[in-house]
Structure formats: C-alpha cells, structure tokens
Amino acid sequence: MKKLLSLVIALLMLFSLVACNGGGANDDATPTPSADATPTQAQTVDYTEGGKYMNDPGANGNPEWRLLNYPVTSDTVTFMIHYEEGQPAVDKENAFRDIYNMKWQTNVVAAADRITKLVSSVMGGESPDIFRYDTFQPTLANKGYIVAWDDYIDLSTGLWTDLKTGLDATLFKGKHYGLSTKMNTDAGDGMWINLEIFDELGVKSPVEYYNEGNWTYDTLLECARAVQTDSDSDGIPEIWGVSIELTEAFLYPSGKDIVSMNPDGTVTNNIRSPEIASAVNFTVDLFNAGVEYDGSDGRTAFAQGKIAMMVGCYWYYQGGTYKDMFARDAIAWVPFPRDPASENYYACMYFGENMLCANAPNPYGAAALMDAARYDVLDDHDKEEVDAEAFFEEKGIPYEMEMYVQEQKLRDGLTPVLMTWTTFEMGQFWGDIWFRPLLGEPWSAVAEEIAPRIDDVIAGIMEE
C-alpha cells in the first residue's frame, strides 16, 4: 500500500517529497581506535564522476537514474501555463528543489490566450523558459517560437529509457520539441458503468466482458440495447443505454488518430484508413440504434440512474456526484471497447506538452527541471509520510474511490495512441467527420472529399 500511495502521489502531483541523500558508512572492519575512542565517522560518497552528475545516487538508488549536472545560468526556471492547480510537480517533489537546489516561477495565463502570450513574450524579449500546452504544437517550431530539447537535454540517459514510445511518437523533423515526464495513457477517456442497472436487469456487464477480453464495439451495442428500458412505451426511455459526452469517443479505440506522426519526421493522413472508417461507422450504428441519450446533462442523468453507460473522462468522479454510487458498489470504470477487427485495447496518449521556448533565459535549467521531474516519477522510496486520505476527503473525494480510479488509469494491456488532432488542427473537420455520416452521407464519400483538405492543412503546418 505504501508503494501504491507513493506512486499515486507522484502521478497526481500533489505532495512534497523528501530528498534521498546517499551516504556510506566506514566499511573498515578493523578500525584502529584512537586514544579518545572517537566514534567512527561516516564517509561522504561522491556520485558525481568528476562533476558529470549531481551528487546523488539516483532515483531509487539506481545509478542509471542519476541527474546530470547542467551548466545552468540561474537558480530559477520560468514556466508559462494556463492553470494553477495541477502544475508540474517539480516544486512539490524533491529532486529539483533538494538536489539541484533550484526553484521555479509560474506565469499563469488564460487558456485561450496561451499561444498569443507566448508569441508576444518571445518577440518582446521576455521569453519564459518552458511553455506548457495540451500537446506539442508544430507551428510553434516552424515559426521559431520553440526550439528542440535535444540541444540541451540528454534523452539517452537511463532516466528516459522507458519513455521511448512517447519520444519516438513525437519526433518532429528528427528532433524532440515536446517532452512529458511519463506516458500519459491515463489521461483519459473511457466508460463509466452503472453496475446497479446491469444487476437489476440481469444483463452481463461491460466489466465482465472486459475481464474476459470480449469488450468490443459489438458487445457495447449489445449491452446498450439490453439495458435500455421504456416500460410505458412512450418513446422516452426511463433508462438509456449509453451517453456519449466526447464527440471523438471512438477515435482512439480504433488505434489511430486522424493524423499520425512518424519517426522519420513525416506525418500520415489516416482519414481514408479502415480504422477511422470503423470508428465513424460504429458511432453511426450507436446513433441509429436509438440507445444514445439525447439530453445535454449526461453526467447528472448517469448519477441519477437514468443511463447505464457513460462515455467520458475518468475525472468526472471528482465532482462528488458519484461518491454515493461508489459507496454502494454501484459504479465502475472500464477502458473503451476494442474494434472487433483488432486484438488490442487502445488508450489515448498525451505526450509532449512541455516545450522549450526560443530565447529561454535558462535553457539548461529547464533541462534540469525536466530531468528532475522524471526522477521524481521514478523514485518511490523515502517519500514523505502524508495523510492522503484526509487530503482527498477534504476535497470531497472518498479516498477508496481515488485509489480505485488510479488503479483503473494505470491498468496494463492498453496500447497507447498519440493524440494529434489538436496538434494538426483537425477540430475544423469535426463536423464533416462525426456529423455528416449521422445525417446519412456515406463515410467513404465524406472521407474522399475532405482528405485533400486535410493534406493541405498538414502541409501548411509542416512548412518551414
């Protein structure tokens, strides 16, 4: 439990952690006592290898996870970000503060103004060191507002080995312009299940299907039809099969985003692919089956027992509306179903949200910050003892529910799919992709029509 708690604390980025200071005892088995019988003094261990590393044994004492000694120009790193709560944990964990002896300052800007503020700051000679956005933005690299991390940080060290999938997926023209300190396949999206409805109606639940490896588009539709209830036949169900709060809900279960970034620096337009076709056609099937909730208050209706399954984000539970359901074992969370044509369950992966600004006043300090944050993700010993249960209860979140949600987010067996639709500005095609087929247009015709337009957008973004 202690190890799990430590992991949760690191992932939630909510607590201060205590530094791990290495020290070795005198290992001379037969010391010669002095006349005064002075106690043997501990020897200081040098982990720096002549100054290459900071004097620390590494996360979990692993020398492969040591921190490089960067030529920083200041003890402060500046961060531009759009929210206060949930900032990167470097000021709340140990390595940046206690090993590098550095601090950081945050410039909080409105979400809608982030790009504009970054551009004006860089152009005005007041650039921050790090810009944090939802995903890496290629246009910022092409226009020179951000620069590649590779010139300042060594991503070949052991600290970054386990992030190779994310690093390879976000290569842009052969370099890394966006970094994350963990694989955010937990960022997500999946399905909340009202177990009481399935129990009362005697219907096999999505949890059972998932546990046996048979949670698919087909079984989701089967479940929705089986639980939908209109007992008075007035056309208004007392219980709806499913609510879909995310327009692109079944995009990632297909295994592809609209655009894929390739390790060689190219990108691929996937709009004509069979995976995207399957995602769109299944969305149409759900709509045509009449099992999709037609109200705008899906989260509330789900909590009231009016919807059996809700497509949405894992963080919906934080609003407090589901804690009563959790207390009586009435709620569960499962990943998205898989395409029957695939053997894999997929999860959306967010990676590359931290970008190094052009003209950053302390770029090596920014590199140290990224290494330190990665160190803290890996390090799980000698953590500060905190009353996590009281912390969550104070926020109105049952501690047991928080632990359950974290376990679901981190479950094994989910193949990551890099989210790129925001990176490549695909939101402008959402009406074509998700609504025209609902109105009866064949997807193949829609895809052929918009494919050249998507190619033009990609070309513009990739243009240097």
Side-chain angles (χ1 to χ4, degrees):
M1 175 59 73
K2 180 178 179 182
K3 184 173 182 179
L4 174 62
L5 175 57
S6 298
L7 176 60
V8 171
I9 294 170
L11 293 179
L12 289 178
M13 305 179 294
L14 294 171
F15 304 103
S16 299
L17 309 178
V18 176
C20 308
N21 295 315
N26 187 336
D27 54 7
D28 184 351
T30 57
T32 302
S34 69
D36 298 326
T38 303
T40 302
Q41 299 296 314
Q43 294 180 346
T44 300
V45 179
D46 184 2
Y47 299 101
T48 67
E49 292 190 14
K52 179 179 179 180
Y53 299 98
M54 301 299 291
N55 196 25
D56 180 87
N60 293 343
N62 184 346
E64 295 297 317
W65 293 346
R66 282 178 292 176
L67 293 170
L68 290 170
N69 184 9
Y70 289 100
V72 301
T73 56
S74 166
D75 67 352
T76 303
V77 170
T78 56
F79 223 107
M80 182 177 285
I81 195 170
H82 66 287
Y83 53 86
E84 194 72 43
E85 183 68 24
Q87 294 173 26
V90 290
D91 68 334
K92 299 174 181 178
E93 298 179 351
N94 65 3
F96 194 63
R97 181 191 62 227
D98 294 337
I99 300 177
Y100 279 117
N101 295 316
M102 296 180 68
K103 60 183 181 293
W104 70 309
Q105 295 176 346
T106 303
N107 178 11
V108 179
V109 298
D113 297 334
R114 284 175 289 177
I115 300 295
T116 301
K117 292 289 187 181
L118 173 68
V119 171
S120 63
S121 295
V122 173
M123 296 295 289
E126 298 179 348
S127 175
D129 293 305
I130 297 175
F131 176 64
R132 186 178 179 89
Y133 202 76
D134 304 322
T135 58
F136 159 59
Q137 299 295 296
T139 51
L140 296 178
N142 285 334
K143 295 179 180 179
Y145 298 119
I146 61 173
V147 296
W149 283 102
D150 307 72
D151 296 332
Y152 297 95
I153 191 170
D154 187 352
L155 296 173
S156 68
T157 67
L159 282 170
W160 298 93
T161 300
D162 289 344
L163 293 184
K164 187 176 187 304
T165 298
L167 291 170
D168 287 351
T170 50
L171 272 173
F172 183 72
K173 299 180 179 178
K175 292 188 176 183
H176 299 93
Y177 287 86
L179 284 184
S180 296
T181 56
K182 62 187 179 72
M183 293 281 288
N184 291 300
T185 53
D186 61 349
D189 307 327
M191 299 190 67
W192 286 102
I193 310 300
N194 186 322
L195 296 175
E196 285 182 334
I197 291 176
F198 285 89
D199 289 343
E200 291 172 3
L201 296 177
V203 176
K204 187 175 179 179
S205 78
V207 175
E208 295 174 89
Y209 280 114
Y210 182 81
N211 289 339
E212 68 183 25
N214 194 28
W215 178 229
T216 68
Y217 291 171
D218 294 339
T219 52
L220 188 159
L221 184 54
E222 181 181 322
C223 285
R225 285 173 168 153
V227 297
Q228 183 143 313
T229 304
D230 182 9
S231 58
D232 57 7
S233 301
D234 65 351
I236 303 175
E238 293 83 32
I239 298 175
W240 290 83
V242 63
S243 172
I244 299 177
E245 293 218 342
L246 301 171
T247 302
E248 71 282 10
F250 298 101
L251 177 59
Y252 298 102
S254 76
K256 286 187 177 179
D257 203 332
I258 304 301
V259 177
S260 294
M261 296 179 64
N262 306 314
D264 64 359
T266 62
V267 300
T268 301
N269 178 357
N270 297 318
I271 200 66
R272 296 186 179 97
S273 71
E275 291 88 351
I276 302 300
S278 180
V280 173
N281 289 331
F282 177 65
T283 302
V284 172
D285 289 344
L286 272 180
F287 178 80
N288 288 338
V291 294
E292 183 181 341
Y293 182 64
D294 59 3
S296 59
D297 59 340
R299 294 181 221 176
T300 301
F302 177 80
Q304 293 172 343
K306 298 178 181 179
I307 301 171
M309 299 177 289
M310 181 176 61
V311 172
C313 301
Y314 75 87
W315 51 262
Y316 286 177
Y317 76 98
Q318 294 178 352
T321 55
Y322 303 152
K323 63 182 180 181
D324 292 338
M325 297 177 70
F326 183 82
R328 62 179 190 269
D329 296 325
I331 193 170
W333 190 90
V334 295
F336 279 125
R338 61 178 173 83
D339 187 324
S342 172
E343 296 181 355
N344 298 321
Y345 289 97
Y346 293 97
C348 173
M349 177 181 73
Y350 296 75
F351 199 91
E353 70 272 19
N354 298 297
M355 288 162 271
L356 181 61
C357 301
N359 305 320
N362 193 8
Y364 285 108
L369 186 151
M370 289 292 100
D371 269 358
R374 177 62 184 158
Y375 177 110
D376 290 326
V377 169
L378 294 170
D379 191 46
D380 65 1
H381 72 286
D382 288 345
K383 301 294 188 184
E384 179 181 356
E385 292 295 334
V386 297
D387 190 347
E389 184 168 356
F391 178 88
F392 290 114
E393 292 290 349
E394 183 179 342
K395 289 182 172 290
I397 303 172
Y399 177 68
E400 292 79 7
M401 188 171 187
E402 179 67 31
M403 295 301 100
Y404 169 78
V405 171
Q406 297 305 321
E407 289 171 4
Q408 304 314 304
K409 288 163 52 181
L410 297 172
R411 69 168 77 209
D412 295 329
L414 301 180
T415 302
V417 178
L418 181 68
M419 186 188 79
T420 60
W421 70 264
T422 58
T423 300
F424 287 93
E425 302 173 5
M426 291 295 104
Q428 62 189 289
F429 299 105
W430 252 216
D432 297 293
I433 295 171
W434 302 111
F435 296 109
R436 287 173 61 184
L438 293 180
L439 298 176
E441 293 188 57
W443 169 245
S444 58
V446 175
E448 283 299 321
E449 178 191 323
I450 65 176
R453 292 159 52 196
I454 292 176
D455 286 335
D456 290 342
V457 172
I458 293 172
I461 290 174
M462 294 294 289
E463 183 180 2
E464 297 189 31

